[in-house]
Amino acid sequence: MIEDIAKKENISIDKNASLDDAISLMLKNGEGIVVFLDADRAVGILTERDLLLILKQKISLNVRALRYYKTSLICIHLDRSLDYALHILIDNNIRRLIIKDDENRFIGILTQEMILNYIERDTYRIHLSVSNIIGNNQEVIYVSPLESLEHSLKIMREQSIGSVVVKDKNKLLGIFTERDLIKVINNKTPLTTAVKDVMSSPVVTIDQDTIIADATELMTQKKIRRLVVTDENLEVIGIIGTRDIMKNIKGNYANLIEQKLKIAKNTLDSLPNMVIELFSTKSSHHIHWLNNKAKDIFGNVLDDDICTIIDKKFWKSIVDDINQDCYNNDARITIKDASYTLSISQYIFEEYELIRVLFVDITEIETELAQAVDSEQKMLEHLMQQSRLAQMGEMISMIAHQWRQPLAAISATIGTLKLRNMLDNYEKDFFDTKLDQITLYSQYLSDTINDFRDFFKQDKILEEGNFKKIIESTTIIIKPSLDHEGIILTLDLQKDIIINTYINEFKQVILNIIQNAYDVLIEREIENPAITIKAYESASEIFLEISDNAGGISDEIIHNIFKPYFSTKEQEGTGLGLYMSRIIIEDHCKGSISVTNSALGAIFTIKVAV
Amino acid sequence: MIDIYKLTTKTNKMSLLYVEDNDMVREDTETMLDIFFENITIAKNGLEGLACYESAKYDLIITDIKMPLMNGISMISKIRESDKEIPVIIISAYDEDYNLYNIKHLNVEAYITKPFVVDELIATIHKVSS
Ligand SMILES: Nc1ncnc2c1ncn2[C@@H]1O[C@H](COP(=O)(O)OP(=O)(O)OP(=O)(O)O)[C@@H](O)[C@H]1O
Ligand SMILES: [Mg+2]
């Protein structure tokens, strides 16, 4: 459709063409634009507006245009609807679009005028007259007929307007527009020339009560883009251009414009957040507007599918959510090292829908969050370290217990040998046996050291282990200490339970709980002190129960024992034992740990999934 | 210098009550004490030791402190109620810090820490036997 009305003849020129050639072509095509091609691809445009600058800088026209043309092009695909093209023209405040095909080949240009010529008369809001739409127009700027061309151009540049009206004592003589500028340049007219010699004359004026459709027809007829509007006394009250008329085409688009005005695009443009508007059809979402910030980040992505800047799958999941009305504005995306959540609003019109995407920058919040998590992590590591140190202290006394008897046995055996020596009683076999025995004892000492050292190895990987073995290898370490205090340790372990866990951490938990029971059994001077460890498994969980007969934990404190630094042991305890145990079981092993009182004492129960 | 030959001839005539709960330590220590004493009675805790003491006559008691059922201190206190004379040697671990006043009160010959150096034991036995 666009393809039908797009114009290709006399529009394009090779990218290496001179300014001179480009301007001649512009004059020839009467569209005020030239498109530069690299093979069949559009790479730049030069418009009559650019000529103002070229003139000002007194650039020689023999040079290649390359340096002066704009390379950021607004292109749309030839399949798009006319309505869509209109959207883009108005929303982006531009006059022309470049049309390309699937292979990005240049197809032609589409200007506001072409669209206005094309559409039916009844597409305009018939009841509207010219006076209705020039309200917020720029003031008309006048120059006197003898004013130099140079000065007139300066005014146009400074006021950023496309024309000046030439007036002599209330008499309208003519108008000088950008279109005339092309001629000026092409004819190499000196800038000292009076404006009256280069202006278009007579001025085409219309009465303010003319209806828009007629105004359009007049412009088409006269091949001009502006009309000077006068009142009943023939006083000039403004200038009306194609752009103003465009904005007043009847139908959805006009409604949309109104809507858009309401939601103030200017505001969106000045937002520090990126905003993108999408024009959506059944199968695709094209970017039809983006605010300044978004342009900064994404570059020129106008008319591109949204999926050129956002991952396809990601976008699809958002669209699915939107369609099911369950999108929570929480989709997260990372663009150029920054994190955003996408806030999306949808505007549905009769034939199409608009989606506005607001990118909310959450990088800072996220970094703060990460820092908080990080410092919490560090804190935890610190506590872990503290608790390990405390446990190591306890281990030293366990080692002492572990070693006491074998060391006593060694010293007794050495004593025996020494006495025999003193008595000159050397019986070779006896000496051999005793020396072997000492070797055996030292081996035992060395083994226990290894047990303890292994215990404090950090394990950061999940391992499979036989549950019974894990418990036994833990109790071996504390057994001599328990024996020493006459504490009976009973193990009731179901065989062949396999657990997948951080084995050493798990052992530390078991040891912590036994150590606590040991402490309280001694502190309360319990008769026939006993600790029982039970392990069994159900279909889905492994249970470990460690119970004692020390009388249990009072109701006042039982809720606190898993809290950090809670201890009833004054100097002796850090109060981290159970806290760390809970972290290990709940966070690392994804299980649970709880405590209850039985008639005899406390029961600690650990549950982990099989 | 203690003449070890002379000493062992002397101690060989003495009867010893040796109280220790740990099997490993007790066996090895007994092997060593065998060199001094021909007649050794073994008890595995304070209660057994007390029973032995009440049923026979001994020239010397060597005992550990930390033991199940009845510890060494209680056992000696009980014995001291009727017998202020019988020499007692304690062989116990260093880190078991018992009330030293109690131990002094019990009037023991020596407090030897485990693990021990044999010369200390020889010297103590020498003192007791003379
Ligand atoms: N089996 C138990 N019976 C009675 N009270 C207990 C038992 N286990 C723990 N507690 C109570 O819970 C408190 C917290 O135990 P936790 O292991 O966290 O610290 P702690 O043992 O006091 O210090 P640390 O573990 O550093 O030695 C203990 O001080 C004790 O009062
Ligand atoms: Mg503890």
Side-chain angles (χ1 to χ4, degrees):
Chain A
M1 186 170 178
I2 283 184
E3 207 180 353
D4 304 334
I5 53 169
K7 179 169 170 181
K8 188 170 186 169
E9 297 75 41
N10 294 327
I11 297 292
S12 61
I13 193 166
D14 186 79
K15 70 168 189 232
N16 292 317
S18 68
L19 268 178
D20 218 356
D21 293 342
I23 293 166
S24 315
L25 186 65
M26 206 185 278
L27 186 68
K28 199 160 159 195
N29 68 34
E31 300 295 345
I33 182 171
V34 178
V35 177
F36 294 86
L37 297 188
D38 183 359
D40 50 8
R41 221 143 289 199
V43 292
I45 54 166
L46 192 72
T47 67
E48 48 198 17
R49 185 65 50 111
D50 301 324
L51 300 182
L52 271 175
L53 219 90
I54 288 172
L55 259 190
K56 182 193 171 213
Q57 296 179 353
K58 303 202 166 68
I59 292 156
S60 147
L61 298 185
N62 307 325
V63 300
R64 282 162 67 189
L66 194 66
R67 273 172 44 209
Y68 306 102
Y69 60 65
K70 274 207 292 285
T71 51
S72 70
L73 308 182
I74 298 188
C75 305
I76 66 169
H77 191 265
L78 55 85
D79 279 349
R80 308 279 182 256
S81 70
L82 202 57
D83 207 13
Y84 177 77
L86 247 148
H87 263 217
I88 294 208
L89 284 171
I90 298 188
D91 284 351
N92 296 284
N93 201 22
I94 51 175
R95 224 144 55 191
R96 317 157 182 94
L97 288 168
I98 291 170
I99 315 297
K100 61 182 185 184
D101 68 5
D102 286 334
E103 262 93 56
N104 281 327
R105 281 187 299 241
F106 175 70
I107 296 300
I109 59 160
L110 185 70
T111 65
Q112 291 180 345
E113 296 83 28
M114 292 174 199
I115 295 178
L116 289 183
N117 290 343
Y118 185 83
I119 54 182
E120 302 289 322
R121 200 181 155 81
D122 62 358
T123 318
Y124 300 108
R125 295 211 256 175
I126 283 297
H127 62 281
L128 278 190
S129 62
V130 168
S131 62
N132 293 117
I133 61 171
I134 57 165
N136 48 9
N137 244 7
Q138 273 166 326
E139 217 190 312
V140 182
I141 307 249
Y142 300 98
V143 291
S144 76
L146 294 174
E147 193 67 78
S148 72
L149 189 53
E150 189 165 24
H151 187 73
S152 310
L153 292 176
K154 188 166 175 254
I155 293 173
M156 284 165 71
R157 217 169 40 233
E158 280 168 5
Q159 306 283 331
S160 175
I161 48 173
S163 62
V164 285
V165 175
V166 184
K167 193 165 106 171
D168 186 26
K169 293 180 200 115
N170 288 334
K171 198 163 168 250
L172 281 186
L173 297 180
I175 184 165
F176 182 78
T177 69
E178 286 168 338
R179 192 60 44 96
D180 300 314
L181 183 61
I182 306 174
K183 267 184 273 165
V184 164
I185 296 185
N186 202 48
N187 300 336
K188 306 205 165 55
T189 316
L191 293 182
T192 46
T193 315
V195 72
K196 70 173 170 54
D197 298 332
V198 285
M199 67 184 184
S200 304
S201 178
V203 185
V204 183
T205 62
I206 50 166
D207 185 82
Q208 60 175 341
D209 295 328
T210 319
I211 60 167
I212 296 178
D214 291 339
T216 313
E217 227 169 73
L218 185 62
M219 280 197 242
T220 312
Q221 215 178 50
K222 302 261 179 194
K223 286 196 166 42
I224 51 175
R225 250 195 351 240
R226 295 179 186 76
L227 293 170
V228 171
V229 184
T230 55
D231 61 12
E232 59 272 16
N233 305 321
L234 295 178
E235 286 290 322
V236 174
I237 55 168
I239 292 183
I240 181 172
T242 44
R243 201 170 304 198
D244 308 305
I245 295 179
M246 292 269 291
K247 289 181 182 167
N248 287 280
I249 294 169
K250 193 181 150 196
N252 295 324
Y253 194 77
N255 294 336
L256 179 64
I257 302 283
E258 272 166 10
Q259 291 249 9
K260 276 184 192 310
L261 282 179
K262 271 190 215 124
I263 41 194
K265 217 153 243 170
N266 285 347
T267 323
L268 294 183
D269 235 349
S270 57
L271 274 187
N273 298 24
M274 297 191 279
V275 181
I276 289 183
E277 272 184 10
L278 306 173
F279 186 90
S280 68
T281 61
K282 270 178 214 85
S283 57
S284 63
H285 295 96
H286 294 286
I287 299 169
H288 98 109
W289 182 81
L290 55 168
N291 75 348
N292 288 333
K293 179 71 180 177
K295 277 182 205 147
D296 286 350
I297 303 283
F298 295 116
N300 180 17
V301 290
L302 208 71
D303 191 49
D304 286 348
D305 193 274
I306 178 75
C307 295
T308 56
I309 58 168
I310 293 180
D311 177 70
K312 211 177 185 133
K313 273 196 202 125
F314 177 71
W315 178 249
K316 186 175 180 312
S317 74
I318 293 177
V319 172
D320 288 348
D321 282 354
I322 294 174
N323 291 339
Q324 286 163 38
D325 222 7
C326 64
Y327 180 68
N328 293 328
N329 289 330
D330 56 357
R332 284 204 39 228
I333 187 170
T334 306
I335 297 159
K336 294 186 180 163
D337 291 337
S339 298
Y340 302 90
T341 53
L342 303 187
S343 220
I344 294 181
S345 37
Q346 200 183 12
Y347 305 92
I348 299 175
F349 302 98
E350 276 162 44
E351 284 152 42
Y352 55 88
E353 106 193 7
L354 268 191
I355 291 180
R356 177 177 299 150
V357 186
L358 171 70
F359 291 69
V360 182
D361 193 333
I362 54 163
T363 318
E364 220 164 277
I365 302 170
E366 222 164 48
T367 341
E368 266 167 35
L369 213 73
Q371 273 164 359
V373 170
D374 196 49
S375 79
E376 194 176 314
Q377 187 65 33
K378 288 221 177 81
M379 179 71 187
L380 210 74
E381 267 161 30
H382 175 73
L383 288 183
M384 194 83 132
Q385 192 62 24
Q386 237 182 312
S387 133
R388 285 163 77 89
L389 275 177
Q391 207 172 36
M392 267 193 216
E394 279 159 2
M395 286 243 174
I396 300 272
S397 94
M398 287 183 211
I399 293 179
H401 282 124
Q402 198 96 315
W403 278 22
R404 173 176 300 119
Q405 308 304 4
L407 282 178
I410 289 174
S411 68
T413 310
I414 290 174
T416 307
L417 294 180
K418 259 191 129 170
L419 280 168
R420 288 268 190 144
N421 195 17
M422 287 173 185
L423 293 165
D424 294 320
N425 183 356
Y426 313 108
E427 201 183 311
K428 189 173 179 298
D429 285 350
F430 182 85
F431 266 68
D432 264 353
T433 325
K434 291 297 158 194
L435 289 173
D436 284 349
Q437 208 172 327
I438 293 173
T439 311
L440 222 70
Y441 286 141
S442 7
Q443 189 55 49
Y444 173 81
L445 296 182
S446 152
D447 287 349
T448 55
I449 284 288
N450 286 341
D451 286 349
F452 281 100
R453 206 189 42 205
D454 286 349
F455 202 87
F456 276 108
K457 270 189 197 143
Q458 295 261 19
D459 51 348
K460 284 285 159 252
I461 45 160
L462 281 168
E463 270 178 280
E464 234 174 42
N466 180 310
F467 204 40
K468 187 164 187 272
K469 284 220 182 89
I470 292 173
I471 295 168
E472 280 171 350
S473 69
T474 311
T475 51
I476 259 186
I477 286 177
I478 198 168
K479 185 78 164 67
S481 305
L482 299 178
D483 286 349
H484 188 70
E485 300 297 337
I487 298 170
I488 308 292
L489 177 70
T490 314
L491 300 183
D492 176 6
L493 312 174
Q494 194 179 309
K495 261 194 218 141
D496 303 328
I497 301 177
I498 299 297
I499 185 172
N500 192 27
T501 193
Y502 298 98
I503 292 179
N504 273 343
E505 291 197 341
F506 203 86
K507 284 182 179 177
Q508 281 168 32
V509 173
I510 301 173
L511 197 65
N512 259 325
I513 298 173
I514 301 177
Q515 178 79 38
N516 282 345
Y518 168 97
D519 288 346
V520 70
L521 285 167
I522 291 173
E523 188 202 45
R524 297 182 188 167
E525 294 176 6
I526 302 297
E527 269 184 53
N528 304 321
I531 297 174
T532 306
I533 304 180
K534 256 171 97 173
Y536 52 95
E537 118 188 278
S538 73
S540 58
E541 282 172 315
I542 298 172
F543 295 85
L544 176 67
E545 261 176 41
I546 302 177
S547 55
D548 61 61
N549 62 347
I553 306 167
S554 78
D555 288 347
E556 286 94 74
I557 67 161
I558 197 161
H559 305 292
N560 296 326
I561 61 169
F562 289 105
K563 291 183 183 160
Y565 300 115
F566 178 83
S567 174
T568 54
K569 295 171 193 164
E570 289 171 3
Q571 299 302 319
E572 303 290 309
T574 62
L576 292 173
L578 288 177
Y579 173 67
M580 287 323 306
S581 301
R582 197 192 61 190
I583 290 194
I584 289 171
I585 295 299
E586 291 183 356
D587 295 359
H588 300 188
C589 306
K590 306 290 174 224
S592 70
I593 179 167
S594 59
V595 64
T596 51
N597 282 316
S598 72
L600 295 174
I603 306 175
F604 286 86
T605 308
I606 294 172
K607 265 194 279 185
V608 286
V610 175
Chain B
M1 256 297 269
I2 295 166
D3 183 339
I4 198 82
Y5 286 96
K6 257 192 197 160
L7 178 60
T8 47
T9 350
K10 218 190 258 174
T11 54
N12 259 330
K13 294 182 197 105
M14 295 167 68
S15 60
L16 168 72
L17 173 59
Y18 175 44
V19 194
E20 163 68 60
D21 61 328
N22 184 280
D23 296 343
M24 179 169 66
V25 176
R26 195 181 56 241
E27 276 163 28
D28 285 331
T29 312
E30 194 191 342
T31 312
M32 183 191 64
L33 292 173
D34 269 341
I35 296 171
F36 292 100
F37 309 98
E38 221 143 76
N39 188 356
I40 302 179
T41 303
I42 296 294
K44 296 184 179 182
N45 57 55
L47 219 55
E48 268 186 32
L50 198 60
C52 293
Y53 172 80
E54 276 158 6
S55 59
K57 184 137 179 45
Y58 300 99
D59 300 308
L60 174 65
I61 298 172
I62 295 179
T63 183
D64 186 15
I65 292 181
K66 188 110 192 177
M67 288 178 297
L69 302 178
M70 181 188 280
N71 69 30
I73 306 272
S74 313
M75 182 189 77
I76 302 164
S77 319
K78 281 271 189 318
I79 292 171
R80 281 282 179 254
E81 282 171 17
S82 55
D83 187 343
K84 305 264 184 255
E85 303 299 316
I86 183 162
V88 175
I89 298 173
I90 291 174
I91 301 182
S92 185
Y94 178 70
D95 71 336
E96 292 159 3
D97 81 88
Y98 290 99
N99 190 328
L100 284 177
Y101 171 79
N102 268 348
I103 293 174
K104 239 189 181 129
H105 202 68
L106 291 174
N107 187 26
V108 298
E109 291 301 326
Y111 183 106
I112 295 173
T113 54
K114 281 195 260 194
F116 54 82
V117 181
V118 76
D119 305 76
E120 205 183 346
L121 189 71
I122 295 172
T124 314
I125 293 177
H126 176 71
K127 197 174 84 185
V128 171
S129 65
S130 47

